[in-house]
Amino acid sequence: MLLGMICALASAVCYGTASVLQAVAARAAEPGTGSGLDPALLSRALRQWRYLAGLALDGIGFLFQIVALRSIPLYAVGSALAASLAVTAVAASRLLGIRLSRTQWGAVAAVCAGLTMIGLASGPDGNRAAPAALGWSLLATVAVVLLSGPLLGRLPAGPRALLLGLGAGLGFGTVQVAVRLIDSLAVPAVLIGPAPYALLVGGATGFLFLTSAFQRGSVTVATAGMVLGETIGPALVGVAWLGDRPREGLQGLAFAGCAVAVAGSLTLARFGEPSLEGAGAKSQG
């Protein structure tokens, strides 16, 4: 339990730092077609060291996340990952010399308080067998998200950034659930069934949508959409189908902790825009 929560928080540190590096790299990349979803943007961003460094941190964070997903409930992992916004805010305030307002420091404190509540209330991860159709449902969800990309590109800037971020969150949320569904890493067992493919396609979809959202619209709005998508969806799946439960008698504390952590994270999303713009300005100076 303790190891799982520590790994989830370590993953949030990696992801929060990586988001800053990737957003700066995406905004510095050459503009493409102007579409809301630009697959070629990934190849242009990959030419920059900041994006590569962010990917390396994402890889380390994913290893921590796997350990967490195998030992604590999905709702606890999701809430901890939402704390990556607090990591981004605090790191930017130290490294970029940007001051946080009292409201923003209060949001950081709220995230920490919410995570403490979740840690106290979390039981072990659920051991209920997943329905056979759940893996295929993950693949279908990712397919719908991908097919929606061209349509999202035609929306105005505000809703476009929000929905691209939400699509990224659904992709990353699919990865979380798929990790729980994979029982063995042995070949050929790992190649059988939809879960491994949902993991790969979901991760690629998340990076594609989030990178496009960072360049094409508001980083603030996109980040808020991502947090909602990767937090709420997996939590509901874990409780409804995988048997995730808080400790007996502490259900209210777990629910309140999730609500406080996510609310604090979404408040901090307002901090993302100036910090990342400042980072971009410094990188070009």
Side-chain angles (χ1 to χ4, degrees):
M1 290 289 298
L2 178 60
L3 175 63
M5 203 64 186
I6 291 174
C7 286
L9 293 174
S11 181
V13 171
C14 293
Y15 289 154
T17 307
S19 292
V20 177
L21 295 172
Q22 290 165 349
V24 172
R27 290 193 165 193
E30 296 178 3
T33 61
S35 168
L37 188 65
D38 184 3
L41 175 60
L42 275 175
S43 64
R44 297 193 297 274
L46 284 169
R47 300 170 191 168
Q48 302 191 43
W49 71 266
R50 290 180 183 83
Y51 199 88
L52 295 175
L55 285 180
L57 283 173
D58 280 329
I60 297 171
F62 183 60
L63 295 178
F64 282 121
Q65 185 181 0
I66 290 176
V67 176
L69 288 168
R70 307 296 292 188
S71 55
I72 60 177
L74 282 170
Y75 66 81
V77 176
S79 298
L81 293 182
S84 62
L85 286 172
V87 173
T88 299
V90 174
S93 69
R94 300 297 183 187
L95 299 179
L96 302 177
I98 298 173
R99 294 183 177 180
L100 275 68
S101 68
R102 291 182 179 179
T103 299
Q104 290 156 351
W105 279 118
V108 172
V111 170
C112 295
L115 292 174
T116 300
M117 296 162 67
I118 293 169
L120 292 173
S122 293
D125 62 316
N127 54 11
R128 184 189 304 169
L134 183 56
W136 295 109
S137 298
L138 295 179
L139 276 176
T141 299
V142 175
V144 171
V145 171
L146 279 173
L147 290 174
S148 70
L151 297 176
L152 299 181
R154 300 188 179 95
L155 295 175
R160 182 176 63 196
L162 176 65
L163 292 176
L164 284 173
L166 181 61
L170 291 174
F172 293 138
T174 296
V175 171
Q176 294 183 41
V177 178
V179 168
R180 282 281 298 272
L181 298 184
I182 298 174
D183 295 324
S184 172
L185 296 179
V187 178
V190 73
L191 302 178
I192 300 175
Y197 304 101
L199 186 153
L200 294 175
V201 178
T205 299
F207 279 116
L208 172 61
F209 272 66
L210 188 60
T211 304
S212 296
F214 278 160
Q215 187 187 60
R216 305 299 182 188
S218 166
V219 175
T220 298
V221 176
T223 304
M226 182 189 70
V227 167
L228 289 173
E230 72 176 353
T231 302
I232 297 176
L236 293 176
V237 170
V239 171
W241 287 290
L242 300 180
D244 288 349
R245 293 291 184 272
R247 293 181 183 179
E248 189 65 31
L250 296 180
Q251 293 88 345
L253 183 64
F255 178 81
C258 286
V260 170
V262 172
S265 296
L266 294 180
T267 300
L268 281 171
R270 292 187 298 172
F271 175 75
E273 197 74 48
S275 69
L276 294 177
E277 287 176 353
K282 290 194 176 188
S283 68
Q284 297 170 3

